[in-house]
Amino acid sequence: QVQLVQSGGGLVQPGGSLRLSCSASGRIVDIVSMGWYRHAPVQERAAVAVLIRPVRTRYEASVKGRFTVSRDNAKNTVYLQMNELKPKETAVYYCKSRASDMDYWGNGTLVTVSS
């Protein structure tokens, strides 16, 4: 199994920045991908940015150039740097890992973009 612990998030003004963190533990060697998803009100949960081993990244079209997903292997942590945030990006953001054909989710963190 894989355990994920998220941190970061909160309230930010439009145009501002936030960084989310997701630390993994457990069967880390089995992880083939880690990424970030968001669940906005009255919308389905959707992928935002995903890291696929060994080096591929995928971004949702609307965040390209503003969001960056990265990892620190020494800390078993994945980050999501979010810049130029927009009010419509208010959502609960989840970290997800894929390992041994199973999905593991973090606890979620609320990001509110509002003035």
Side-chain angles (χ1 to χ4, degrees):
Q1 289 190 347
V2 175
Q3 296 78 41
L4 302 174
V5 177
Q6 296 181 222
S7 61
L11 175 65
V12 64
Q13 292 187 344
S17 298
L18 279 177
R19 189 177 80 158
L20 307 180
S21 301
C22 176
S23 296
S25 61
R27 297 285 299 176
I28 298 171
V29 295
D30 294 337
I31 294 176
V32 296
S33 69
M34 284 189 70
W36 294 93
Y37 291 68
R38 63 187 174 193
H39 192 176
V42 300
Q43 294 184 22
E44 294 185 356
R45 190 178 299 188
V48 176
V50 180
L51 281 168
I52 303 169
R53 283 186 172 175
V55 293
R56 284 192 297 161
T57 57
R58 290 181 181 171
Y59 291 96
E60 193 271 328
S62 70
V63 308
K64 287 182 179 178
R66 298 186 297 118
F67 289 16
T68 303
V69 61
S70 61
R71 65 185 176 194
D72 184 331
N73 291 329
K75 297 181 179 180
N76 297 321
T77 299
V78 172
Y79 303 97
L80 182 65
Q81 177 67 42
M82 305 183 289
N83 299 327
E84 300 177 33
L85 281 160
K86 305 174 182 180
K88 66 178 181 179
E89 294 177 315
T90 294
V92 177
Y93 285 70
Y94 294 90
C95 175
K96 191 193 89 169
S97 71
R98 181 79 173 169
S100 302
D101 296 325
M102 294 186 66
D103 291 332
Y104 298 91
W105 292 91
N107 50 311
T109 186
L110 178 62
V111 172
T112 302
V113 186
S114 175
S115 55

